[in-house]
Amino acid sequence: MSNPQDWAPQPAAPPLIPSREHVLAGLHATDEGGADLVQLLTPEGVRVGDPRFDAYAADVDVPALQALYRDMVLVRRFDREGNALQRQGQVGIWIPLLGQEAAQIGAGRALQPQDMAFPSYREHGVAWTRGIDPVDLLGIVRGTDHGSWDSQEKRFHYYTIVIGNQCLNATGYAMGQKFEGKVGDGEDAEATICFFGDGATSQGDVHEGFVWSAVYDAPVVFYCQNNQWAISEPNERQTRVPLYKRAQGYGFDGIRVDGNDVLACLAVTRWALEECRTGNGPVLIEAFTYRMDAHTTSDDPSRYRLADELELWKLKDPIERVRVNLVREHGVEQEFFDAVQAEADELAARFREHCMSMPTPPADRIFSEVYAEGSPNLDAQREAFLAYHASFEPDGSLAGPSIGRA
């Protein structure tokens, strides 16, 4: 981060952005809690009470907490494998979720089967909770498909690459739920949840979604995973107020939850979804978390953030706090953790094997899957491309005589 004195209008003027020390001090203060942050499990693994949200986590007994722990460990393991596969040239890109497992698993497990989820491109953990096999995510990053699951069956839309666009899609879907009478007090009432990052809150699509959902009381939970960095820009370049407070300007509720606390994320999301199903939506949740890896594998976070910031957040690891709670407060033995790790390793091996064995799509796939019906122009382009493609040998070299050689 640049020195504010280098570009302030005049020496006596207050700095336009905080210094590094102020950024870290603010980070520490905000994450420590206070009236804003909903937290049920501290970084030290201590269960703390919250009169408003305890009831929404009352059914989380030891087996349920172990299940949440298992979810996070397995998701982290195949996420790490995806990173490794990209480094080895097996996928074109990988979008890590390291550090955001609690935010995603807590929210995902709060959903009812009839609810609908709209992800961005990082919600591997939410996909897991919706019953999507992690291998089905590989086609997107290997360039063979846009997603191989049935989005209506799984109630989980395909990944959205355009930043913030899913907020419009989710708002429209939620408006349809209301128009079709699927909002109310019955057990079959529905809600929608939309996932996006802090950087997306600077996109117009997100704010347009806020406006329409507020005007039509759409049953949609806007779930912002504030991981502190919009690619390479910190929060202070995105907003002058905490993100959850932006909801006030649109006339609906906003709340901040500790995004590294899976219990709090579960409880708050259950509450928000219930609000939406019963006609009291929309709701904005800011899950205050941290991206512990790069934005994607094409990013180098060491160029824009401080090492001590990362070290601070390692102490608030979402998986470790659950492990400590299970051991100290519930006496869970090491055998359980070893079994989960073994299962995670098996999943990673299957994930890798599937990636390595994926067939290469035929060359005409980029034409055959674009339009339902062909056209003379498209047919001509396809023929020209296929002829050009056929001019190469399997090793990528040109077939026949080299250019300029007799």
Side-chain angles (χ1 to χ4, degrees), residues 14 58 158 238 376:
Y158 297 123
Q238 305 293 324

Side-chain angles (χ1 to χ4, degrees), residues 64-76 78 97 99-111 122-132 193 195 223 225 259-267 269-270 273 287 289 318-319 322:
L65 189 58
Q66 288 176 299
L68 292 171
Y69 175 87
R70 172 183 173 272
D71 282 337
M72 292 192 291
V73 171
L74 267 61
V75 166
R76 177 175 289 189
F78 80 73
L97 60 70
Q100 297 179 223
E101 296 87 357
Q104 295 194 16
I105 295 300
R109 290 302 182 195
L111 290 163
R122 199 185 303 275
E123 276 69 51
H124 318 319
V126 183
W128 170 264
T129 66
R130 301 308 274 170
I132 294 172
I193 189 168
F195 296 90
Y223 194 92
Q225 293 176 84
N260 283 22
D261 176 356
V262 70
L263 278 182
C265 290
L266 175 71
T269 309
R270 281 177 169 177
L273 288 166
T289 181
I319 296 178
V322 177

Side-chain angles (χ1 to χ4, degrees), residues 271-320:
W271 164 79
L273 288 166
E274 184 177 287
E275 288 288 289
C276 289
R277 292 192 202 100
T278 54
N280 295 321
V283 176
L284 171 63
I285 296 175
E286 177 193 354
F288 198 84
T289 181
Y290 192 77
R291 167 167 59 79
M292 295 179 67
D293 203 339
H295 177 73
T296 71
T297 47
S298 61
D299 171 42
D300 178 9
S302 67
R303 299 185 62 175
Y304 56 80
R305 69 184 187 189
L306 304 175
D308 55 350
E309 181 181 305
L310 178 60
E311 292 304 312
L312 168 71
W313 280 90
K314 285 182 178 178
L315 300 175
K316 300 166 184 172
D317 185 281
I319 296 178
E320 182 64 16

Side-chain angles (χ1 to χ4, degrees), residues 223-244:
Y223 194 92
C224 175
Q225 293 176 84
N226 179 3
N227 62 23
Q228 312 304 315
W229 289 96
I231 302 183
S232 59
E233 293 293 346
N235 271 180
E236 62 264 23
R237 294 290 182 91
Q238 305 293 324
T239 181
R240 295 182 66 176
V241 299
L243 292 177
Y244 79 95

Side-chain angles (χ1 to χ4, degrees), residues 6 27 38 40 76 100 116 148 179 209 225 239 245 257 284 302 310 350 354:
D6 294 340
L27 176 67
V38 178
L40 300 181
R76 177 175 289 189
Q100 297 179 223
M116 187 68 179
S148 56
F179 295 158
Q225 293 176 84
T239 181
K245 288 189 176 181
V257 62
L284 171 63
S302 67
L310 178 60
R350 183 170 66 84
H354 181 89

Side-chain angles (χ1 to χ4, degrees), residues 71-92:
D71 282 337
M72 292 192 291
V73 171
L74 267 61
V75 166
R76 177 175 289 189
R77 184 65 183 87
F78 80 73
D79 172 72
R80 296 297 80 203
E81 198 66 27
N83 236 52
L85 286 166
Q86 191 282 330
R87 298 307 190 201
Q88 295 161 12
Q90 295 302 319
V91 298

Side-chain angles (χ1 to χ4, degrees), residues 157-384:
H157 199 268
Y158 297 123
Y159 278 12
T160 302
I161 307 302
V162 179
I163 305 298
N165 183 248
Q166 67 275 18
C167 289
L168 291 178
N169 301 331
T171 296
Y173 190 93
M175 288 168 62
Q177 288 173 316
K178 182 177 180 181
F179 295 158
E180 293 176 0
K182 296 180 178 178
V183 176
D185 296 325
E187 294 182 359
D188 296 329
E190 297 182 9
T192 293
I193 189 168
C194 179
F195 296 90
F196 53 96
D198 46 295
T201 63
S202 294
Q203 293 292 118
D205 285 2
V206 175
H207 296 276
E208 290 169 12
F210 287 179
V211 169
W212 281 84
S213 64
V215 170
Y216 287 93
D217 295 321
V220 56
V221 175
F222 294 106
Y223 194 92
C224 175
Q225 293 176 84
N226 179 3
N227 62 23
Q228 312 304 315
W229 289 96
I231 302 183
S232 59
E233 293 293 346
N235 271 180
E236 62 264 23
R237 294 290 182 91
Q238 305 293 324
T239 181
R240 295 182 66 176
V241 299
L243 292 177
Y244 79 95
K245 288 189 176 181
R246 286 186 166 184
Q248 297 176 7
Y250 299 93
F252 54 86
D253 284 340
I255 189 168
R256 171 181 277 178
V257 62
D258 184 345
N260 283 22
D261 176 356
V262 70
L263 278 182
C265 290
L266 175 71
V268 168
T269 309
R270 281 177 169 177
W271 164 79
L273 288 166
E274 184 177 287
E275 288 288 289
C276 289
R277 292 192 202 100
T278 54
N280 295 321
V283 176
L284 171 63
I285 296 175
E286 177 193 354
F288 198 84
T289 181
Y290 192 77
R291 167 167 59 79
M292 295 179 67
D293 203 339
H295 177 73
T296 71
T297 47
S298 61
D299 171 42
D300 178 9
S302 67
R303 299 185 62 175
Y304 56 80
R305 69 184 187 189
L306 304 175
D308 55 350
E309 181 181 305
L310 178 60
E311 292 304 312
L312 168 71
W313 280 90
K314 285 182 178 178
L315 300 175
K316 300 166 184 172
D317 185 281
I319 296 178
E320 182 64 16
R321 69 175 66 183
V322 177
R323 188 195 68 81
V324 171
N325 179 267
L326 287 171
V327 171
R328 292 180 178 175
E329 296 191 11
H330 305 293
V332 175
E333 300 289 342
Q334 184 62 37
E335 181 181 4
F336 164 75
F337 302 104
D338 292 343
V340 171
Q341 189 58 54
E343 185 181 1
D345 290 340
E346 290 176 5
L347 173 60
R350 183 170 66 84
F351 190 74
R352 169 173 288 275
E353 181 181 357
H354 181 89
C355 181
M356 303 288 281
S357 62
M358 292 177 72
T360 300
D364 68 345
R365 175 76 177 272
I366 60 174
F367 295 93
S368 63
E369 301 300 316
V370 177
Y371 296 103
E373 297 180 2
S375 68
N377 285 340
L378 186 65
D379 292 343
Q381 291 175 23
R382 183 183 65 247
E383 295 307 319

